[in-house]
Amino acid sequence: MTDPQRRRGKTNNQAALDDHKLRFRRSSVAASQFLDYLVASEVGVWRVEPDSNPSRWWLNITLPQHQQNIFDLQREIKVLFTDYERVEPRTLAVIHERVRRDIRVESDLAILVSNDAGARDKARRRAGEMAIIAVEPNAFVGDNPPKLHELIAEAIATVDHYDVTTAIRDPSGFYGRTAEVESIAADLKRAVSVGVFGLRKAGKTSLLNAVTTLRNNEGGHVTIHIDVSEIVTAEQFRSAVLEKLWSAVRDLSSPAQFSPRLRTLTRSGTRRMEVLDSAPFWVQDIREILAEVDFPAALVVDEIDQAFPLRSNLEPDEARALYTALVQLRSLLQEQESLVLLCAGVDPALFERPLFDGRDNLLYKLVRLLWLAPMPREEMAAMVRSLGRRMGVRIRDHKTIDSLFAHFGGHPLLTRKACSIAAKARTAESLPFHLTTEILNRAIETRAYSGPRQEAADVLKSFTEWFPDESALLHLYFSRDVDESEGGREILREEPDALAHAIAYGLCFSDYSARISAAISALDRTN
């Protein structure tokens, strides 16, 4: 059939789609087989386009209506078809980026067709982010191959997107916190330092990652990240800051023109071995590195509370040296020109206490304190429903959402743990799996290791370590003993702010009633 014959009676867009389908079909035997497979699976193909990489093609497809209803997929699905024998992690990131840029496609699910037999495991290791269905070409050839919806069901039934305990790095796994991200980003642009403090596993590190991603996407910003839990000495901290700043500024500027003369670093940006102690020189070297930067560079420090000697797990001398290193940065930060600090932790004493060892605490009020309470109900609901869609799980009843919020108050880890246990009964054949209030409540009550009850008790234990006086008052206020409870109420009448951190961190509401009731109920088990 000639081109004019193929185009007769079709719009320009339809004719262009046909041309791209033909080019795709001719690109490889596997591509031709895949198109035939989509037809046999009654799948609609609405977009086919080559990638700048000749080994990759992008397609937008839709499932038949009744299958869309099963998976709650009402928009197009992005497909990456490649002849790669080995899929690199970067390829998965490219899929995420492509989906984010296309408003017509599902944000929770995409498909990767590849010859890499290990692609499914690589996608599974990114649980909590977008569900990427990895399919090998041999899955859609031969006699009576499974339909596409069967492959999707098999894949999503074996990945638990709720059961993620590590910090979220990809935006597809980050939910809510829009106001916090925007507020912090605006402060950093004005060189206003910010400290984010909240309960264990409340999403502090994920929030830092979200702000960092936003700054990187905007471009023109220098942002470096230091995790103090990975630091052993103050010298290691100073070296990490210097080397990461040097690298980030060089990448942002012209490498050929970036050659600051530094006491602590070589011309290639590595520590000078002959300088055993960088403390006398490192602040001036930071000034030299940042001299050509147009906007304040952001130093993002996680687990910042480890720098407070009275609470640190570091060796005492190293904790004091790390505290001193932060004090050295104070002048740079207070100038609000070249450097700004974004940090996170559980205990804000580093910035809240005016005195340290009987002397002025020079870091007192250095940062704006931002209390990271658990998620609001609607943000929590959006999170569990979106993650559920990636697993074939539906949560329709508002009573199920109410039960989650009543027990966990929007705490992301505790909420996801309960949903994870509740969804374990699903199979590929049972999708969509309806997570009811009854199923959820059974999961909430389980005493399984690392279940929501144990995790809630761990949250309370962590809070008790940092704020023992408030924890003792919680014991009194929520005691089943009438006299003890009244004693707690009397203290709060005299000192209304005695539970300030318990409220700011979301253990309680402002009227002192329990917000994370699963943690408050653990008080009885910690006497």
Side-chain angles (χ1 to χ4, degrees):
M1 183 180 296
T2 65
D3 282 353
Q5 288 174 315
R6 284 192 296 106
R7 293 174 179 273
R8 190 174 297 130
K10 295 185 177 182
T11 66
N12 289 337
N13 287 341
Q14 289 171 331
L17 175 59
D18 285 345
D19 287 342
H20 278 93
K21 281 184 180 180
L22 183 60
R23 287 179 57 197
F24 176 57
R25 183 180 291 278
R26 290 172 174 172
S27 66
S28 69
V29 173
S32 180
Q33 291 171 333
F34 184 56
L35 280 181
D36 292 340
Y37 172 73
L38 294 179
V39 172
S41 293
E42 303 178 38
V43 169
V45 179
W46 305 105
R47 188 179 184 89
V48 178
E49 58 180 327
D51 189 83
S52 56
N53 183 326
S55 299
R56 301 195 303 220
W57 285 79
W58 296 94
L59 293 79
N60 285 13
I61 66 172
T62 54
L63 298 175
Q65 186 63 53
H66 67 286
Q67 293 169 12
Q68 289 182 16
N69 295 336
I70 291 175
F71 299 109
D72 195 20
L73 300 173
Q74 305 303 322
R75 289 185 287 178
E76 296 173 11
I77 301 172
K78 181 69 72 179
V79 178
L80 172 59
F81 184 97
T82 175
D83 60 8
Y84 289 161
E85 295 295 332
R86 185 171 183 272
V87 172
E88 298 293 339
R90 173 60 186 161
T91 302
L92 303 182
V94 168
I95 296 174
H96 286 224
E97 293 167 6
R98 192 81 174 211
V99 167
R100 280 198 296 271
R101 295 201 307 265
D102 192 340
I103 62 174
R104 296 165 299 183
V105 302
E106 293 287 344
S107 60
D108 289 323
L109 183 143
I111 296 173
L112 167 65
V113 181
S114 146
N115 290 310
D116 185 354
R120 178 178 294 190
D121 288 336
K122 293 172 185 174
R124 185 180 288 112
R125 286 196 292 270
R126 297 186 65 153
E129 301 174 4
M130 178 195 310
I132 296 180
I133 312 302
V135 179
E136 292 181 69
N138 60 17
F140 48 77
V141 296
D143 297 332
N144 195 30
K147 296 293 192 340
L148 181 61
H149 74 276
E150 294 174 315
L151 295 178
I152 293 175
E154 178 188 1
I156 66 177
T158 59
V159 181
D160 187 349
H161 290 277
Y162 288 128
D163 190 17
V164 177
T165 58
T166 56
I168 301 299
R169 295 189 177 277
D170 191 271
S172 67
F174 187 77
Y175 293 90
R177 309 296 195 191
T178 302
E180 290 91 341
V181 171
E182 292 179 350
S183 172
I184 293 171
D187 279 344
L188 297 185
K189 289 179 179 179
R190 300 196 307 271
V192 175
S193 294
V194 180
V196 180
F197 293 90
L199 292 172
R200 172 182 173 271
K201 296 294 185 179
K204 301 182 294 296
T205 302
S206 298
L207 180 63
L208 298 188
N209 292 339
V211 173
T212 299
T213 297
L214 177 63
R215 286 173 59 87
N216 290 342
N217 289 343
E218 287 180 350
H221 297 294
V222 170
T223 309
I224 66 168
H225 191 284
I226 307 289
D227 187 341
V228 179
S229 67
E230 300 173 355
I231 296 295
V232 177
T233 68
E235 187 62 45
Q236 186 182 0
F237 174 79
R238 291 191 293 266
S239 295
V241 171
L242 286 164
E243 291 179 352
K244 289 187 176 185
L245 277 178
W246 188 95
S247 179
V249 174
R250 181 203 57 185
D251 291 345
L252 192 64
S253 59
S254 171
Q257 298 177 353
F258 180 68
S259 57
R261 298 173 63 86
L262 308 176
R263 297 286 297 274
T264 59
L265 300 183
T266 66
R267 297 182 70 86
S268 59
T270 58
R271 271 300 308 277
R272 295 183 183 275
M273 292 298 99
E274 68 272 18
V275 181
L276 300 181
D277 182 6
S278 62
F281 317 113
W282 80 302
V283 173
Q284 181 56 38
D285 278 0
I286 289 176
R287 291 183 186 278
E288 293 291 336
I289 293 171
L290 299 179
E292 302 302 321
V293 174
D294 294 329
F295 304 103
L299 170 58
V300 181
V301 182
D302 205 359
E303 307 288 352
I304 189 71
D305 31 25
Q306 293 300 312
F308 192 52
L310 299 180
R311 300 289 184 88
S312 180
N313 292 324
L314 297 173
E315 292 295 324
D317 288 347
E318 290 300 339
R320 288 178 177 276
L322 182 55
Y323 170 83
T324 300
L326 291 176
V327 170
Q328 285 184 288
L329 291 177
R330 187 181 69 156
S331 61
L332 266 175
L333 296 170
Q334 289 179 330
E335 289 169 8
Q336 294 188 307
E337 292 180 359
S338 60
L339 188 68
V340 63
L341 174 66
L342 171 61
C343 57
V346 176
D347 182 11
L350 189 65
F351 307 110
E352 269 194 331
R353 293 191 181 185
L355 298 177
F356 167 51
D357 269 359
R359 292 177 293 180
D360 286 344
N361 174 15
L362 297 179
L363 299 181
Y364 178 57
K365 292 189 176 181
L366 180 65
V367 303
R368 176 178 77 85
L369 295 177
L370 187 154
W371 310 117
L372 192 65
M375 305 173 79
R377 180 188 180 281
E378 293 310 312
E379 288 187 359
M380 180 209 72
M383 175 185 72
V384 297
R385 284 174 170 147
S386 175
L387 291 171
R389 291 178 74 235
R390 302 173 188 185
M391 303 163 53
V393 174
R394 290 190 188 178
I395 305 177
R396 293 285 176 84
D397 190 349
H398 69 86
K399 293 181 180 178
T400 307
I401 298 297
D402 289 342
S403 181
L404 276 171
F405 194 75
H407 282 87
F408 308 118
H411 188 287
L413 174 70
L414 302 182
T415 301
R416 291 166 74 141
K417 279 288 184 180
C419 291
S420 171
I421 292 174
K424 287 191 183 300
R426 81 194 194 286
T427 63
E429 295 73 28
S430 67
L431 303 184
F433 180 83
H434 292 276
L435 201 161
T436 64
T437 306
E438 180 182 0
I439 295 173
L440 175 67
N441 287 341
R442 286 201 299 268
I444 290 172
E445 294 304 318
T446 184
R447 297 180 182 274
Y449 175 75
S450 196
R453 284 169 62 90
Q454 180 183 329
E455 292 286 355
D458 288 347
V459 166
L460 179 66
K461 180 180 178 181
S462 173
F463 182 83
T464 300
E465 290 174 356
W466 296 113
F467 307 103
D469 292 343
E470 291 193 34
S471 179
L473 180 52
L474 288 173
H475 274 272
L476 284 178
Y477 185 81
F478 289 101
S479 174
R480 295 181 183 180
D481 183 283
V482 175
D483 292 337
E484 288 186 353
S485 179
E486 180 54 35
R489 295 174 188 277
E490 180 63 26
I491 291 173
L492 285 171
R493 281 193 287 270
E494 295 177 359
E495 301 179 52
D497 294 332
L499 289 177
H501 294 100
I503 292 171
Y505 285 21
L507 276 174
C508 303
F509 288 108
S510 57
D511 63 358
Y512 310 122
S513 61
R515 175 169 180 172
I516 305 179
S517 60
I520 297 300
S521 66
L523 289 166
D524 292 336
R525 306 195 296 275
T526 58
N527 284 326

